Amino acid sequence: MSRLYFITGTDTDIGKTVATCQLLRAFAALGLRAVAMKPVASGCEWRDGGLWNGDVAAHAAAGNVAAPLALTNPYRFQPAISPHLAAREAGVGIDLEHLAACARQLGEMGDVVLVEGAGGWYAPLGEDSTMADLALRLGAPVLLVVGMRLGCLNHARLSAEAIQRSGLPLAGWLANRIDPQMARYADNLATLRHSLCAPLLAEIPHSSAAERDSLAAGAVLTLRP
């Protein structure tokens, strides 16, 4: 039986894709079939007659399951705007049940499926749906990526509390050092370890090659199916 995780973050551009790619490589290093899904991607570009997304390409390079794009990235939009606005402009409704069906099919192909959300926990997908609603539809434990920079304490605690109120388990969090000059990094990390009711799975150092790196396999042993 495959294991599914929903990956959210404290904000946009805090390294969810970096964390997802490093998690994929860590699971693969344990001998597991690891695949990722980007349910909705905006900011795509045209390549070879179709819409291409860098996050989705990075997932494919990091995982070890050859899955069709229709499953790994069901909705793709060109404007680099919130997915619900991009979908509205395209005249498309984002169907949560369709996304759940795609995730189930990926679960038949891999041992671990990582579903990377867009934006934060409450990023909208439509007039009446958010990323949180998708996570609930999937029934997936949640992994929270915390972008370590000034303000992250508030963002992380609010996100963790919202996840826990949803009834979904917060399986763990990752500290991504997006600001290498962050003052009192160790102190902020200690505050989060004390205040978040979930284990710190790993710290991700700041690196220009972070998307191509891997977490130590031991970082995901507690998440192993």
Side-chain angles (χ1 to χ4, degrees):
M1 180 180 294
S2 65
R3 191 67 188 269
L4 178 72
Y5 292 98
F6 187 87
I7 298 177
T8 191
T10 47
D11 206 341
T12 299
D13 293 332
I14 50 76
K16 292 186 298 298
T17 299
V18 165
T20 300
C21 289
Q22 294 206 12
L23 285 164
L24 285 169
R25 292 190 172 93
F27 280 119
L30 293 174
L32 300 173
R33 296 171 299 162
V35 63
M37 175 183 178
K38 182 86 170 179
V40 184
S42 54
C44 299
E45 60 185 74
W46 285 100
R47 291 193 181 184
D48 301 321
L51 285 173
W52 175 92
N53 180 263
D55 294 349
V56 178
H59 290 170
N64 57 1
V65 174
L69 187 61
L71 297 181
T72 60
N73 186 209
Y75 294 98
R76 296 178 293 281
F77 305 104
Q78 187 172 12
I81 56 180
S82 176
H84 80 295
L85 297 178
R88 182 195 299 168
E89 288 185 6
V92 173
I94 295 174
D95 184 343
L96 299 189
E97 185 50 46
H98 174 62
L99 293 176
C102 291
R104 288 193 294 269
Q105 291 182 66
L106 288 174
E108 296 172 359
M109 304 172 68
D111 300 308
V112 180
V113 180
L114 304 181
V115 179
E116 182 191 328
W121 182 244
Y122 285 132
L125 289 172
E127 298 301 324
D128 301 306
S129 63
T130 67
M131 285 291 168
D133 294 311
L134 174 57
L136 284 165
R137 183 66 61 92
L138 297 173
V142 181
L143 303 178
L144 176 64
V145 182
V146 178
M148 297 299 292
R149 63 186 177 196
L150 186 63
C152 70
L153 302 182
N154 178 66
H155 286 30
R157 294 187 66 175
L158 286 174
S159 297
E161 288 174 8
I163 292 164
Q164 290 165 328
R165 282 198 305 271
S166 76
L168 292 173
L170 179 58
W173 63 283
L174 300 99
N176 186 28
R177 195 164 186 178
I178 57 175
D179 177 8
Q181 305 304 320
M182 181 184 187
R184 306 295 189 273
Y185 170 81
D187 293 334
N188 280 275
L189 186 72
T191 298
L192 287 172
R193 296 187 74 163
H194 175 74
S195 59
L196 297 183
C197 297
L200 171 63
L201 299 178
E203 296 176 61
I204 301 176
H206 187 272
S207 167
S208 60
E211 222 169 63
R212 300 188 296 275
D213 290 339
S214 173
L215 297 179
V220 296
L221 281 176
T222 59
L223 303 175
R224 184 171 180 168

